[in-house]
């Protein structure tokens, strides 16, 4: 009878130890799952917030294209790292900050020229401090000079 009790106690201890191992394993697995789930959700939220910051920067560019704008200033306004900003900016626009700014400025210049504004002042009104840079960019993006464009408009 005492052998049977010892055997049962041994079996119960084994079951309790097994249960403790299962409990620890489940605890570790739940912890890992929670960590991965949390990190994925936080990463998604950060990515969404960063995209919104870049979208606000694009709106700022559109509202201030006629001013001197630098990548450093726009990155500073976004409170993001330059690398992160440029990566997200490119993924949204398909181009670099400089290319986007120049292309937008030239699009605005073309609208001004169509509206009858003088070519001599359009470049300055679109944020270009010198006419040669304006002329070069206009020709690059519109495949013709500002005066050729004005004659066709």
């Amino acid at each position: 009878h005492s052998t049977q009790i010892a055997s049962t106690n041994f079996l119960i201890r084994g079951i309790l130890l097994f249960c403790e191992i299962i409990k620890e394993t489940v605890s570790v697995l739940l912890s890992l799952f929670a960590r991965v789930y949390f990190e994925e959700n936080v990463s998604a939220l950060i990515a969404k917030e960063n995209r919104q910051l870049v979208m606000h920067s694009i709106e700022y560019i559109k509202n201030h294209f006629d001013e001197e704008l630098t990548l450093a200033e726009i990155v500073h306004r976004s409170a993001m790292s330059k690398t992160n900003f440029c990566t997200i900016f490119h993924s949204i626009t398909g181009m670099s900050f400089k290319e986007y700014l120049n292309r937008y400025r030239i699009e605005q210049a073309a609208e001004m020229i169509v509206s009858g504004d003088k070519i001599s002042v359009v470049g300055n009104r679109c944020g270009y401090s010198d006419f040669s840079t304006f002329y070069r960019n206009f020709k690059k993006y519109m495949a013709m000079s500002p005066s050729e464009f004005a004659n066709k408009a």
Side-chain angles (χ1 to χ4, degrees):
H1 184 70
S2 66
T3 317
Q4 199 175 21
I5 292 175
S7 220
T8 303
N9 283 342
F10 181 75
L11 184 59
I12 290 172
R13 281 191 205 121
I15 291 171
L16 289 174
L17 180 61
F18 180 73
C19 287
E20 191 62 34
I21 291 171
I22 294 293
K23 178 182 163 190
E24 286 298 316
T25 303
V26 167
S27 176
V28 168
L29 289 174
L30 284 174
S31 176
L32 287 172
F33 175 76
R35 184 178 305 146
V36 168
Y37 180 78
F38 177 75
E39 286 175 2
E40 285 177 0
N41 284 329
V42 167
S43 294
L45 286 173
I46 289 171
K48 182 179 179 182
E49 183 176 321
N50 284 345
R51 286 183 67 80
Q52 288 174 338
L53 290 171
V54 171
M55 292 303 293
H56 287 300
S57 296
I58 290 170
E59 282 304 308
Y60 183 85
I61 292 166
K62 288 179 178 180
N63 292 325
H64 298 270
F65 72 94
D66 56 338
E67 301 170 15
E68 183 181 335
L69 296 176
T70 64
L71 176 59
E73 174 192 352
I74 300 299
V75 166
H76 177 74
R77 289 179 156 282
S78 74
M80 297 171 64
S81 73
K82 181 179 176 182
T83 303
N84 199 19
F85 178 87
C86 290
T87 300
I88 296 169
F89 189 92
H90 193 275
S91 75
I92 292 171
T93 65
M95 56 189 91
S96 70
F97 164 79
K98 184 177 179 180
E99 185 178 353
Y100 180 86
L101 177 61
N102 283 326
R103 189 178 292 267
Y104 188 78
R105 283 176 167 169
I106 296 304
E107 288 170 3
Q108 297 307 304
E111 287 181 24
M112 290 177 192
I113 291 169
V114 167
S115 297
D117 292 1
K118 292 183 178 183
I119 295 169
S120 59
V121 296
V122 167
N124 193 273
R125 288 183 53 209
C126 289
Y128 289 99
S129 57
D130 67 282
F131 187 79
S132 63
T133 304
F134 165 68
Y135 184 90
R136 187 174 53 253
N137 282 331
F138 196 97
K139 201 162 184 174
K140 175 182 177 182
Y141 293 109
M142 302 303 285
M144 64 183 80
S145 71
S147 54
E148 291 170 328
F149 181 80
N151 291 335
K152 290 187 177 187

